[in-house]
Amino acid sequence: MNDLITQLGGPETFAIVVGGVATVIGGVVAALVGRRGGDDETVAPTQTQTPAGPGIEPIATPEEHPEEDALSDVEPAEVSEEAPEEVVDEAPSLDVPESVPTRMQRLRSRLARSGSFGSTLVRVLSRGDLDEEDWEEIEDTLLMADVGVEATDEIMEELRTQARIIGTSDPATIKTVLRTKLLELVDPTMDRSLAASRHDDHPGVVLMVGVNGTGKTTTVGKLARIFVAEDKKVLLGAADTFRAAAADQLATWGERVGVDVVRSDRQGADPASVAFDAVKRGDSEEVDVVLVDTAGRLQNKRDLMDELGKVKRVMEKTAPVTETLLVMDATTGQNGMSQARLFAEVVDITGIVLTKLDGSAKGGIVISVQRELGVPVKLVGLGEGPDDLAPFDPASFVDSLLS
Ligand code: GDP
C-alpha cells in the first residue's frame, strides 16, 4: 500500500518541506543575532456525522478566504441523511487533498524568504579566530532557536574542540562538523513511520493528545486528508467533547474529503464514549484508520491521567491504539515543553507533531523535545491550510538548516 509510511521515507520530499521550516527558524534568529463510555458510566449515545451531502454549500478553500481559522468559522453541515430526496442523486463536491510532493513545494516557496539559524552559525564560525563574543553569539543563536541548554552545551563543546583542532575558518569544513553534530542530535535512527494501517484484522488507531490550542483538531483533519489521498478509508472520532466547536470543526474537515465523524450531540459528553464508538464502528466497517481527537484541558496530572487512560482503555476493548501522537505548538517554548512532559507522563506517546513551525523561530525545539521525551517528531505543521502538514525527515532538516 502506498501509504504514509512510504512517504515518510522519501527524503527528497522531506528535504523540500524541512528546508522551508529551517529557513523560517533561522531568519528570526539571524535578525537577533463495548460499554459505551467504559464500565462505570452511563452516557448519551454518540451520533455519526456523515460527509456533506448534496445541496450543501461547498466549503471555501483557505486560498479563497485566507482569514485566520477559516475552518472553525464554517458552519457545520447538516447530516446528509436529512437532505431532500430530490437532490440525493447529485454527487457531493469533495476536495481532492493535495499530494505530498506538491504541498511541500508550495510550503517551501512560502517559507523560503527567511534565513536560518544554521546559516547564522556558519557565518559566525567562518570569521576565524573566534573571540568570546563570537562564541556567545553562537550560543545565543542556539538557545534562541530552542535547541535547549543541554544540546547547546554539546554543540558548543564540539565546535570549540574542532575549532581548536582544525583551526580553520573554512566554511565548508565547519559546515561538515556542524552538520554531523546537528544530525546526531536530531537522530536519524529514530523510527518516524506512522503505525496507521490495518493489521490483524483491525484498523490502525491513532489517538491525538495535547493541550487545547496546539492544533490537535486541525492536525486530525490534515492527517485525514493525507490518508484519503492515499486511498485509505478513514473514520474520525470527535472525543474533544469539552470545546463546543471542536466536533463541528472536525465534521467540517471530514465533509471536505468525504470522511465520517463519530461524535456526541451533547457538549461535555463522556469523551471515552465517543472514542469507544469510533473505534467500534471503524472496526466493524473495516476502515483502514480511525483518528480520535481528544480534549486537552489543562488540569492536574491525576485528572488527565484518569481521562486519557480511560479513553485509551475503552478504545482498546475493540482494537489496539497503534499510534499516540502528542501535538505540540512549536511557538510556546519552555511552557509548551512542560505541558508536553505532563502528557508524556500520563500516556505512552509514540510520536510528536510539531505545529506552527511556519510562524516560529523555534525550530531547535525538534532537538529539545525529542531529547526530553525520547520519542521522535513524526510530523510538522506548517500553516493553517488543509494540506499544510508534512512528514519530518532529520537529514533533510539539517541540510536545509545549513544551506
Ligand atoms: P486544538 O484546540 O488543539 O484542537 O487546536 P485547533 O486545531 O483548533 O488549532 C488552534 C489554532 O491553531 C487554529 O487557528 C489552527 O488553524 C491553528 N493551527 C494549527 N496548526 C497550525 C500550523 O501548523 N500553523 C499555523 N500557523 N497555525 C496552525
Side-chain angles (χ1 to χ4, degrees), residues 68-70 72 210-219 222 240 243 246 249 253 293-294 327 329 354-359 380-385 388-389:
E68 297 276 286
D69 206 8
S72 56
V211 178
N212 271 345
T214 51
K216 263 190 324 297
T217 307
T218 306
T219 302
K222 288 175 177 174
D240 180 355
R243 191 158 61 87
Q249 197 181 325
W253 280 99
D293 191 20
T294 60
V327 179
D329 179 342
L354 265 185
T355 59
K356 309 187 193 181
L357 268 174
D358 51 305
V380 286
L382 293 158
E384 295 187 272
D388 294 346
L389 182 74

